[in-house]
Amino acid sequence: MVTGLLEGTWKGGDRLTEAEAVERFGVSRTPVREALLELAGLGLVELRRNCGAVFAPFGPQEVKDLYAVRTLLEVEAARLAATRLDRDWLFQSLAAFERMREQNAADAGWREDRKLHAAIADASGNRRLAAEIGRYGDIVQLMREIVGARTLGDIHSTTVNEHLAILHAIQRREPEAAAAAMRNHLEQAAESASLAAEARRRKISG
Amino acid sequence: MVTGLLEGTWKGGDRLTEAEAVERFGVSRTPVREALLELAGLGLVELRRNCGAVFAPFGPQEVKDLYAVRTLLEVEAARLAATRLDRDWLFQSLAAFERMREQNAADAGWREDRKLHAAIADASGNRRLAAEIGRYGDIVQLMREIVGARTLGDIHSTTVNEHLAILHAIQRREPEAAAAAMRNHLEQAAESASLAAEARRRKISG
DNA sequence: TCAAGCTGGATTGTATACAATCACGCAAAT
DNA sequence: ATTTGCGTGATTGTATACAATCCAGCTTGA
């Protein structure tokens, strides 16, 4: 439902009333309203009363802004995780990482990627920080739906190496190295996502 | 409605079903559900299906975690605002600041405080960052309802000086100084809020 | 011509009835 | 004694009807 609302080639500022969504999806207004409220909470639509929900713009600039915030959160989490190193945690994370490396299937790879990021977030010891990181995981996943998952389908071998660098820095109890590794990882991801958003922009306007 | 749900002396883990909320507030389930969804989006309750909504714990530790995330966001916004200084913006902000200094009434003071933080967030140039900072403003305001607004009612003169330090650092185009000033400001606020949460904890358990 | 007020349509906010799902307790079998 | 299965009540998910609100366009008066 939530992801369905975002499908299609809407442009920033496009309006969608509840009645239109009802007609398009064949469900009643109640779940439509709840889905719109959820999207509004994630910052992807703006609810204006009696005017319909307006989609937020979602081009390269918005992707960059999104990743800038996500980077703030996750870099801090990596720094904290390296500071409060937990050996049991590290052992399990390395095992999960090996499983991820073996799975080249795109979907499974992304699932393991999210698990790793979530594990680092939990290891920060700040539950709200971890919750926000999870929320941004949701937003990024919706973004993949928006800009087209195909473009971002594969976990590259470089991505695997970036993950390994983060875990090793945490293992060595080097907070700044862990932060830098996480920053680098997310900058790569931001670059890739921004390019995909640019491609989508051209496809829509052309 | 949203703030009403949070009133009272619930402890972390307390459950509230929709039916109970309906009975307590005299409205139907629909607005109750929407309010609970909103609170869940802000991370203040956890929705478990067929088990009622469980309140998140909200003691000193949670307040510290909350302010740690808020500090991450706002410190970065102050840094960016100092980097991309806009003189018109600064002029208006200083004027608003003077108005704030003159208003000692608690409510008006907090309103101007939020306006100042929002202005700095906007000046960062990152709209999503600004949106998240606004969201944390909402969360902190709800927190004041939870821990008791009286305890945090006044804008102290020290707070005014902290604001002034931030604006002056931005005016001097010194990003790191602006970041440090913002960090200091929020650390003071976090300390005050944490003490209030501790007082509430004792009142509830005692 | 312009502005103020009003009316009709559209859109959202709320209430309520019904369907689906799940948790809890009890009983029975191993 | 532990576990497995089922049944019932409780709780949430969905549909739909109705009330409130708002926007646009027209009319009417100066």
Side-chain angles (χ1 to χ4, degrees):
Chain A
M1 176 82 252
V2 171
T3 92
L5 282 173
L6 293 175
E7 283 169 1
T9 54
W10 47 263
K11 284 177 281 194
D14 282 358
R15 283 203 274 248
L16 176 71
T17 65
E18 296 175 3
E20 289 170 325
V22 163
E23 190 174 7
R24 189 188 298 178
F25 294 98
V27 294
S28 80
R29 278 181 55 214
T30 311
V32 165
R33 281 177 69 83
E34 297 194 348
L36 286 175
L37 282 173
E38 181 176 343
L39 286 177
L42 297 177
L44 295 176
V45 304
E46 180 189 359
L47 298 181
R48 306 178 58 174
R49 47 187 197 181
N50 295 321
C51 291
V54 306
F55 288 100
F58 215 85
Q61 184 59 49
E62 284 73 27
V63 169
K64 285 173 190 164
D65 286 356
L66 171 63
Y67 267 91
V69 176
R70 188 186 176 198
T71 300
L72 267 185
L73 300 171
E74 299 227 28
V75 162
E76 179 70 4
R79 181 180 287 121
L80 290 171
T83 307
R84 322 167 357 117
L85 176 66
D86 180 319
R87 294 218 162 268
D88 286 345
W89 172 88
L90 185 68
F91 182 80
Q92 291 180 358
S93 294
L94 285 170
F97 170 79
E98 288 302 329
R99 286 199 303 275
M100 186 182 86
R101 174 152 41 188
E102 290 162 6
Q103 291 177 347
N104 273 341
D107 283 353
W110 282 116
R111 264 200 302 279
E112 294 298 328
D113 176 80
R114 277 200 72 173
K115 279 188 193 170
L116 179 63
H117 281 264
I120 294 174
D122 288 338
S124 75
N126 184 331
R127 304 182 98 177
R128 178 163 279 273
L129 179 60
E132 292 297 338
I133 288 172
R135 183 166 163 270
Y136 265 79
D138 293 340
I139 297 175
V140 168
Q141 195 158 327
L142 287 174
M143 182 197 73
R144 290 210 190 90
E145 305 281 342
I146 295 173
V147 303
R150 305 296 172 283
T151 327
L152 300 171
D154 287 352
I155 294 267
H156 303 87
S157 61
T158 55
T159 307
V160 174
N161 288 335
E162 290 160 20
H163 284 163
L164 202 55
I166 300 169
L167 285 177
H168 281 169
I170 294 176
Q171 185 176 23
R172 292 195 309 270
R173 287 179 181 264
E174 295 177 3
E176 291 314 314
M182 178 66 86
R183 184 181 300 277
N184 173 66
H185 172 48
L186 289 175
E187 278 171 358
Q188 304 298 322
E191 179 69 14
S192 166
S194 181
L195 287 174
E198 176 67 25
R200 173 175 180 271
R201 189 185 64 77
R202 290 185 185 169
K203 193 175 73 178
I204 289 179
S205 61
Chain B
M1 177 82 251
V2 172
T3 91
L5 283 172
L6 293 174
E7 283 170 0
T9 55
W10 47 265
K11 285 177 281 194
D14 283 357
R15 284 204 278 241
L16 177 72
T17 65
E18 296 176 3
E20 288 170 325
V22 163
E23 191 174 6
R24 190 188 298 177
F25 293 98
V27 294
S28 81
R29 278 181 56 214
T30 310
V32 165
R33 281 177 68 84
E34 296 194 348
L36 286 175
L37 282 173
E38 181 177 343
L39 287 177
L42 297 177
L44 295 175
V45 303
E46 181 189 359
L47 298 181
R48 306 178 58 174
R49 43 187 200 182
N50 297 319
C51 290
V54 306
F55 288 99
F58 215 86
Q61 184 60 47
E62 284 72 27
V63 169
K64 285 173 191 163
D65 286 356
L66 171 64
Y67 267 91
V69 176
R70 189 188 176 197
T71 299
L72 267 186
L73 300 172
E74 299 227 26
V75 163
E76 179 71 3
R79 181 180 287 121
L80 290 171
T83 306
R84 323 166 356 116
L85 176 66
D86 180 319
R87 296 220 161 265
D88 285 345
W89 171 87
L90 184 68
F91 181 79
Q92 291 180 358
S93 294
L94 286 171
F97 170 79
E98 288 301 329
R99 286 200 303 274
M100 187 183 85
R101 172 147 49 182
E102 288 163 7
Q103 291 177 347
N104 273 341
D107 284 354
W110 283 115
R111 264 199 302 278
E112 293 298 329
D113 175 80
R114 278 201 72 173
K115 280 188 193 169
L116 179 62
H117 282 263
I120 294 174
D122 288 337
S124 74
N126 183 329
R127 301 180 103 178
R128 178 163 280 274
L129 179 61
E132 291 298 338
I133 288 172
R135 182 166 164 271
Y136 266 78
D138 293 340
I139 296 175
V140 167
Q141 195 158 329
L142 287 174
M143 181 197 74
R144 291 210 189 90
E145 305 281 342
I146 294 172
V147 303
R150 305 296 173 284
T151 326
L152 300 171
D154 286 353
I155 294 267
H156 302 88
S157 60
T158 55
T159 307
V160 174
N161 288 334
E162 290 159 18
H163 282 163
L164 202 54
I166 300 169
L167 285 177
H168 280 170
I170 295 176
Q171 184 176 23
R172 293 195 308 272
R173 287 179 181 264
E174 296 177 3
E176 291 314 313
M182 178 65 87
R183 183 180 302 277
N184 173 67
H185 173 48
L186 289 175
E187 278 171 0
Q188 304 298 321
E191 178 71 13
S192 166
S194 182
L195 287 174
E198 175 68 26
R200 174 176 179 270
R201 189 185 64 77
R202 290 185 185 168
K203 193 175 73 178
I204 289 179
S205 62

